[in-house]
Amino acid sequence: MWTLSGFIDEISPDFTEQCAVAAGLGLRYVELRSAWEINILDLEPDRLTAMQRTLADHDLEVSSIGSPIGKIFIDEDFPPHLERMRHAAEVAHLFGAPYIRIFSFFLRPGADPAAHREEVIARMRALARVAENADLVLLHENEKEIYGDVPRRCLDIVRSVDSPHLRLAWDPANFVQVGIKPYTDGYAPLRRHVEYIQIKDALAADGTVVPAGQGDGEVAQTMRALHHDGFDGFFSLEPHLVFGGALGGFSGAEHFRRAHAAFAGLLTEAGMSYR
C-alpha cells in the first residue's frame, strides 16, 4: 500500500486552505515547507501551534519537513546552518514527522564538483549526526545546481556518509532538468538508498514541469519497478505547475488537484493500491 502526501504550500499561502484542499483530495499525510509565505523553519511558535491544530482539525499527519537545509553555497559559513538543522529536527519532532528533506549545497557557476567533494561530505556527515541524535531520517533531494544533482554524486554522498539516517528522495523532474533519464540512468544504482518519492515530471526539451506521466521523467516505468521491488513508502506531490524556483514552487488549488489526478490515474491504470 503506497501512501500519498504533498507539498501543500503549493496549494495556497493560507494554511487552512492548504489543509482543506489536501483533505478534500483524500490525503492523510502532507509535507510542510511553508505557510503564510514563511518557511517552516522561520515560523514563530504560535504559528506552529496553530498549524498543529489545523492539521488535527483536518485529520492530517506530516510525512516530512520540506526544509531548505543544504540550500546555501558550499563556500558559505556552515555553523549557523548546522544550528538551523538542529531547529529543523525540533520542528520535525513537533509535528511527528519522521523525515526531513535536505540538499547537498549549491556550487558556484562553473565550479568543479570534485573540488568541493571533501567539504560536501564533511557537512553531510555533520547533518546526519544531528539526525542520528534526534532519531530522524534525512532525505537528500537531487536538486539542480547542488553537488548531488546527478545519480553518481547522489550515490557518492550516501555511500560516503554511510548512515541509516541519510537516505535519498527521488525527484524525476530534477533529474530530467540536468540531462538525466531518471529510470534509465539512475534507478539501478540508487534504488537501495531511495526511501521517498517526489512526484514531479518535466520535459527534456526545455525543462518545463508537467503533471506526472506527461513528461520525460519515466514516472510510470519507475512506479512499476518500485512496485515490483516491494517499495512501501511515501509519494509526495510537488507539482510546480505555475512556478518553480530554488526555494520552492507554486501550483494553486486547481493545478494541485490536476497533479493529484494525473498521478492517481497512473496508479489506477497500473492496478497499484494507494491511500
Side-chain angles (χ1 to χ4, degrees):
M1 179 68 71
W2 290 355
T3 305
L4 271 57
S5 182
F7 288 77
I8 56 172
D9 61 345
E10 296 227 2
I11 293 169
S12 167
D14 180 74
F15 192 67
T16 299
E17 184 178 357
Q18 293 179 23
C19 291
V21 171
L25 288 170
L27 296 182
R28 297 171 53 194
Y29 287 85
V30 298
E31 184 152 358
L32 302 180
R33 181 172 53 196
S34 71
W36 306 288
E37 300 184 329
I38 302 172
N39 186 271
I40 186 69
L41 302 189
D42 297 320
L43 286 164
E44 296 295 330
D46 60 333
R47 284 284 182 95
L48 297 176
T49 300
M51 291 173 71
Q52 287 180 297
R53 290 196 299 265
T54 304
L55 288 165
D57 289 344
H58 292 85
D59 295 318
L60 293 169
E61 297 182 61
V62 179
S63 62
S64 179
I65 301 299
S67 88
I69 297 298
K71 278 199 168 183
I72 62 172
F73 283 101
I74 190 61
D75 55 6
E76 290 187 82
D77 196 23
F78 183 57
H81 206 63
L82 187 59
E83 188 59 35
R84 192 161 168 79
M85 174 71 244
R86 296 188 183 100
H87 176 58
E90 293 172 352
V91 171
H93 282 153
L94 183 67
F95 287 102
Y99 298 111
I100 302 174
R101 180 198 61 167
I102 65 167
F103 305 86
S104 54
F105 305 96
F106 288 119
L107 304 181
R108 300 289 181 183
D112 177 8
H116 297 284
R117 179 189 178 277
E118 185 175 341
E119 180 65 17
V120 167
I121 299 304
R123 291 184 176 198
M124 297 301 286
R125 284 183 178 137
L127 296 176
R129 283 194 293 271
V130 174
E132 289 164 7
N133 292 335
D135 194 26
L136 296 164
V137 175
L138 304 182
L139 299 167
H140 172 268
E141 179 184 335
N142 52 290
E143 176 65 272
K144 303 178 293 296
E145 300 173 355
I146 63 172
Y147 179 82
D149 60 350
V150 296
R152 63 184 176 83
R153 288 197 289 271
C154 292
L155 186 61
D156 179 33
I157 291 167
V158 288
R159 282 182 170 175
S160 298
V161 174
D162 191 25
S163 169
H165 294 270
L166 176 63
R167 303 282 286 164
L168 297 180
W170 175 278
D171 189 311
N174 288 350
F175 275 141
V176 169
Q177 291 172 338
V178 296
I180 297 295
K181 295 180 178 179
Y183 175 77
T184 301
D185 300 334
Y187 188 84
L190 297 182
R191 168 62 189 97
R192 66 185 296 266
H193 304 286
V194 172
E195 190 151 335
Y196 199 93
I197 311 297
Q198 291 176 201
I199 301 304
K200 188 160 88 243
D201 205 346
L203 301 175
D206 58 6
T208 299
V209 178
V210 295
Q214 298 178 25
D216 297 299
E218 301 181 316
V219 176
Q221 291 167 267
T222 305
M223 296 305 102
R224 287 194 296 269
L226 287 167
H227 186 257
H228 179 268
D229 290 349
F231 181 86
D232 182 20
F234 289 106
F235 293 79
S236 187
L237 296 163
E238 190 185 15
H240 281 22
L241 293 180
V242 171
F243 167 78
L247 297 179
F250 186 75
S251 297
E254 180 181 349
H255 286 301
F256 194 90
R257 293 187 183 99
R258 176 180 163 219
H260 179 274
F263 184 58
L266 287 179
L267 297 180
T268 299
E269 183 179 341
M272 299 174 188
S273 299
Y274 65 94
R275 58 187 175 187

